[in-house]
Amino acid sequence: MADAGLPVPGVLATIGTTPIVELTRLDPNSTFRTYAKLESHNPGGSIKDRAALEMLRDRIRDGRLVPGRSVVVESSSGNLGIGLAQVCAYHGIRFICVVDPRTNRQNIAIMRALGAEVEVVTDADPVTGEYLPVRIRRVRELVATLDHAYCPNQYANPLNPRAHRNTMREILDALPDLSFLFCATSSCGTLRGCAEYVRAHRLPVTLVAVDALGSAIFSPPVGGRLIPGHGASIRPALYGDDLADIVVHIDDLGAVAGCRRLAAREAIIAGGSSGAVVSAMQSMRDRIPPGSTCVLVFPDRGDRYLDTIYDDDWVGQHFGDVSHLWRKPQLEAASC
């Protein structure tokens, strides 16, 4: 990961510079080229490693975060919590992560394995019916009562999007003819960072924000969501009306189908937000000019969704028999 200051130490030095692969089997008849930016190759398994490092690095270097004294407190649905746990574990800093019942059990286990203290809020907000407002309130309580506590606040911290200017630079270094960039939204860090880089360099790239149906980021929330990782129940402070050129909303089934198509056709096991990005791109097939170059940012890996998205019984329980959405006879019969 590029850094103008001191070198990043140890395992943290492997954050960033993630691979880009062409997706040739997802839609063999496509008139444009599609690539995936595989953020699962970060050491913590997700794109949130970038923001976690960026939000803590300078404070550790200049002594505002002190091992054995400081406490980092943050709200997370999982991936940022893992990224922060990793940075804090490496530097010997106490970390408390506030999560909710929808947080994947494996994510919680990973955070705890890295030494994090995980607090689970159990009651949803009485007004919105969501957990995020409760998580944020609990973080504020902890910061107010614990000595030397610091909340990075991924939802408003400008260092979050700053990390993703580098993500955008990596993509353009590999694919300077980029036409469309598809990225999932939650804190809006990735979207804002990429948009800032594109606008600063006046690049002809169409930015497509992929939001969860039911999320409050781009429209009033409607209904609940099963799959964590993208979307938000509160519009984050990093949001801006001008960040995305196009917004596509994808429901839970679309995220599941996108993940399963990706696994069946490209042998990539990715997380729910990646599946949503796949479905968003496929919904726009007729709007993408022939010869275009598209990049899909895949935020995390799918091994943390093996008992949900990739479990046939779980999928059947929630959506019925929908395997036709990703299994095609011609694919199963195709030769190598």
Side-chain angles (χ1 to χ4, degrees):
M1 187 172 182
D3 177 24
L6 297 172
V8 176
V11 69
L12 304 181
T14 65
I15 294 175
T17 319
T18 52
I20 295 176
V21 298
E22 186 170 8
L23 305 179
T24 58
R25 294 173 176 261
L26 194 60
D27 184 359
N29 299 317
S30 176
T31 61
F32 51 86
R33 301 186 76 176
T34 303
Y35 296 82
K37 179 74 164 161
L38 301 180
E39 289 297 303
S40 61
H41 285 245
N42 285 302
S46 86
I47 196 169
K48 295 289 189 177
D49 287 6
R50 296 178 184 261
L53 179 60
E54 191 72 22
M55 291 190 294
L56 297 186
R57 178 172 48 194
D58 289 345
R59 284 180 169 266
I60 292 170
R61 287 177 178 168
D62 64 20
R64 285 178 289 172
L65 287 176
V66 180
R69 185 184 72 180
S70 299
V71 185
V72 173
V73 185
E74 181 61 292
S75 159
S76 173
S77 62
N79 283 331
L80 181 73
I82 291 171
L84 290 171
Q86 183 173 244
V87 176
C88 289
Y90 187 87
H91 288 283
I93 296 170
R94 184 183 175 193
F95 172 51
I96 302 173
C97 190
V98 180
V99 303
D100 63 56
R102 293 193 305 184
T103 304
N104 185 291
R105 287 179 296 175
Q106 187 177 1
N107 284 345
I108 293 175
I110 293 170
M111 283 187 267
R112 286 179 170 152
L114 287 166
E117 300 166 41
V118 180
E119 182 172 320
V120 184
V121 300
T122 56
D123 296 324
D125 179 68
V127 176
T128 65
E130 293 283 348
Y131 291 107
L132 180 57
V134 181
R135 281 172 21 203
I136 292 174
R137 285 197 292 270
R138 181 54 183 156
V139 167
R140 289 172 180 162
E141 290 172 359
L142 289 169
V143 171
T145 56
L146 293 171
D147 291 335
H148 310 293
Y150 166 66
C151 173
N153 189 5
Q154 63 166 319
Y155 309 104
N157 193 330
L159 296 179
N160 180 354
R162 191 174 82 175
H164 298 295
R165 296 176 198 168
N166 211 45
T167 308
M168 191 73 243
R169 180 191 59 77
E170 291 173 17
I171 292 169
L172 288 162
D173 282 349
L175 298 166
D177 61 342
L178 178 66
S179 311
F180 288 80
L181 178 76
F182 289 77
C183 67
T185 56
S186 54
S187 69
C188 286
T190 304
L191 178 63
R192 175 172 283 278
C194 291
E196 288 173 349
Y197 188 98
V198 166
R199 274 72 189 261
H201 293 82
R202 299 183 178 180
L203 301 172
V205 177
T206 298
L207 297 171
V208 183
V210 181
D211 196 12
L213 188 66
S215 166
I217 299 176
F218 292 96
S219 59
V222 179
R225 293 174 285 124
L226 283 172
I227 299 171
H230 76 300
S233 58
I234 298 174
R235 177 175 286 175
L238 293 175
Y239 167 86
D241 290 334
D242 60 342
L243 295 181
D245 299 301
I246 299 171
V247 177
V248 180
H249 286 90
I250 299 297
D251 62 14
D252 287 322
L253 178 56
V256 170
C259 284
R260 300 294 289 261
R261 281 196 294 265
L262 195 61
R265 304 178 190 188
E266 295 285 352
I268 295 173
I269 305 294
S273 55
S274 300
V277 169
V278 168
S279 289
M281 183 273 294
Q282 293 185 320
S283 75
M284 284 187 56
R285 281 192 305 262
D286 296 339
R287 300 168 62 184
I288 299 174
S292 297
T293 297
C294 300
V295 167
L296 316 182
V297 179
F298 289 172
D300 64 356
R301 59 192 181 213
D303 54 354
R304 297 161 192 174
Y305 299 84
L306 293 179
D307 58 354
T308 54
I309 289 172
Y310 295 98
D311 182 83
D312 290 340
D313 291 337
W314 184 90
V315 172
Q317 176 186 348
H318 290 283
F319 305 106
D321 183 4
V322 291
S323 60
H324 63 280
L325 295 175
W326 57 84
R327 293 197 181 112
K328 289 189 176 181
Q330 63 267 32
L331 285 174
E332 294 173 357
S335 64
C336 297

